[in-house]
Amino acid sequence: MCGITGYIGGREALPILIPSLKKLEYRGYDSAGVALSLGGGVWVRKTKGRISALEEKLGAEEGAGRGARAGIGHTRWATHGEPSDLNSHPHTDVSDRIAVVHNGIIENYLALKEWLRSRGVLFRSETDTEVIAHLVNYYGREAETNPGTGLGRPDLLGAVRRTLTRLEGSYALAIISADYPDCIIAARKDSPLIIGVGRGENLVASDVPAILAHTREVLFMEDGELAVLRADQVELFNAQGERVERRPSHVDWDAEAAEKGGFAHFMLKEIHDQPRALSDTLRPRLQWRKSGDDGEAAEIPADINFDEIALDASWARAERIIITACGTAWHAAMVGKYAFEELARLPVEADVASEFRYRNPILDRDDLVIVISQSGETADTLAAMRLAKKKGCRILALTNVVGSTLSREADLVLYTWAGPEIAVASTKAFTTQLMCLYLLALKLGRMRLCLDEAAYLRCLRVLSRIPAQAAELLSRQDVIQRFASRQFNKTKVFFMGRQYDYAVSLENALKLKEISYTHSEAFAAGELKHGPIALVDRSTLIVTAATRASLFDKIISNIKEVSSRGASTLVITWEGETAFAQAADEVFFIPKPAVSGEEEAEAAERPARLTECFSPILSVIPAQLFAYYCSLQRGNDPDKPRNLAKSVTVE
Ligand code: M6R
């Protein structure tokens, strides 16, 4: 996730672009840059670091950018290529006459890079974005030198259009060209982009807060649309190149709410970011094929491909996996333990990093050590990683932050493309960590022949539906909101479940305690009689995750045991499941993993065992919402819980 902005009009562009970028800093803050249409060329300044670092750089240059009436800007959250001056946006073509800012991921950038290299293009960055600047230049020049194409002189709009047909993945783009100083071209696919319509000036940005200081008239661009902004005009085109007429909407939002995408808190925004974050984490790693022989039918996933890590046969020979992490990331590790054991039949240890680092663990060179950290900077997690590395183990890092210490020191890195997580309580980092762990477990399971092809493909199809299912589930958040308004005063809230449902209960309990300050614990449901039941009385709420159909009877017994002692009960289970209707006070449904035909019929009975294992990605979401709404009901600020920091960089 990055923030992009652009301005064209009668005023100086730079003093407008910098404050606009600051309003987008929540979208990324590891580097920043601007490009201005100035003096017959594009003038670019960019730097690693926050926007304040860019300001310092500009401040040191007398008259920096003065006189430019058009420009684009970018604040980056690195995806491809670590944060550095060179990888910062804007990116330019070889002649430095075209500048591009981009938010999104170009999935086929490696192939495009090869294609451009074979035509003599030299690259200056490691980013996926740079290919766009070169492609626009390439097609512009082709038009210039081949009048036979019918395009005539360099045609920026035509060159951008042809470039877009080459891009796979997601993008929000703003492009300027020295040959067309009177316009900015903007385009979007699967990444947000809005246009602020002013008087004698127009703006483009990733999000509304960036333009609110100048106008409240907003054109929300639709997927596949392209726009040409001039000082006095905005032309909008659909994917077919046809003109689109749309009236701007008037936006009344207050600036602070707008920064959170209209949500009251970053945490709620990040909970709602999950469908997009899951899709960004999953889609680039899936290979797709047409489902029908005629090649016409819908695309279905066919394999998992980690471009970023060479998962060679030696991985399949690993005899043990050790996963280490802290807090929420450790809970992801616990889910991962069950997944690797079930799908790849590998023994797994999932250990909190602060224990692992001091217990002199028995490690073997053939062990695969997976280290999980959203920030990539947690002190205990880094120490655990260094210990395992010293003992000769291969380290695979799972992190959300490109360029973090963990990403630099690990042997291999798999990124969770969640985008910046601002709220202290982790939400989208957790579900995207799970997505990566499932992909790894499935790939290893297939390599180790623990999964036959049919089971493997079926799991991939189920995973590919999860982002949309998360969105569907979130559309029912009011049910959880109402539940929280009835239950927030409970003095004890316990979360229980078996297997995956136990692992997700650990996360559910942490979420509630850290932002609502309610005493909450998680336990394996089978442990109930070994102690926790002594705490159960009328002031207790028990939230049970129940997605393992073969264990439903046992879970029902557990629920009856706590209900008869006065506890209120909520069960989170599969849509359409009636097993808990009698036993539980309330039931919240998550979408079923069924994918089609025969499986639909099978799942109508009960979800099939193999695909049940993906439930934590969905079953955690109602608990995140519950924690959020309890926190609000109790008068807390969910984004800034007491005593906690986002990144724990000390022991
Ligand atoms: O950045 P990390 O993933 O390494 O952070 C680990 C924990 O500090 C973090 O998950 C913490 O538990 C969160 N506050 C949970 O919401």
Side-chain angles (χ1 to χ4, degrees), residues 325-331 372-379 381 398-399 406 421 423-427 429 433 507 510-511 514-515 641 644-648:
C326 297
T328 287
W330 175 64
H331 300 152
I372 312 176
S373 171
Q374 186 282 132
S375 62
E377 302 294 349
T378 300
T381 308
L398 215 61
T399 182
L406 178 60
E421 199 179 58
V424 169
S426 190
T427 52
Q433 284 159 1
E507 173 59 8
L510 176 71
K511 215 78 314 165
E514 67 181 335
I515 57 169
L644 295 176
K646 181 67 185 159
S647 191
V648 185

Side-chain angles (χ1 to χ4, degrees), residues 22 75 186 196 232 267 277 286 293 297 312 326 338 499 579 619 634 644:
K22 283 189 180 161
T75 180
D232 52 0
M267 182 181 175
L286 282 185
D293 294 338
D312 59 30
C326 297
Y338 288 108
Q499 301 179 5
S619 62
R634 294 169 76 104
L644 295 176

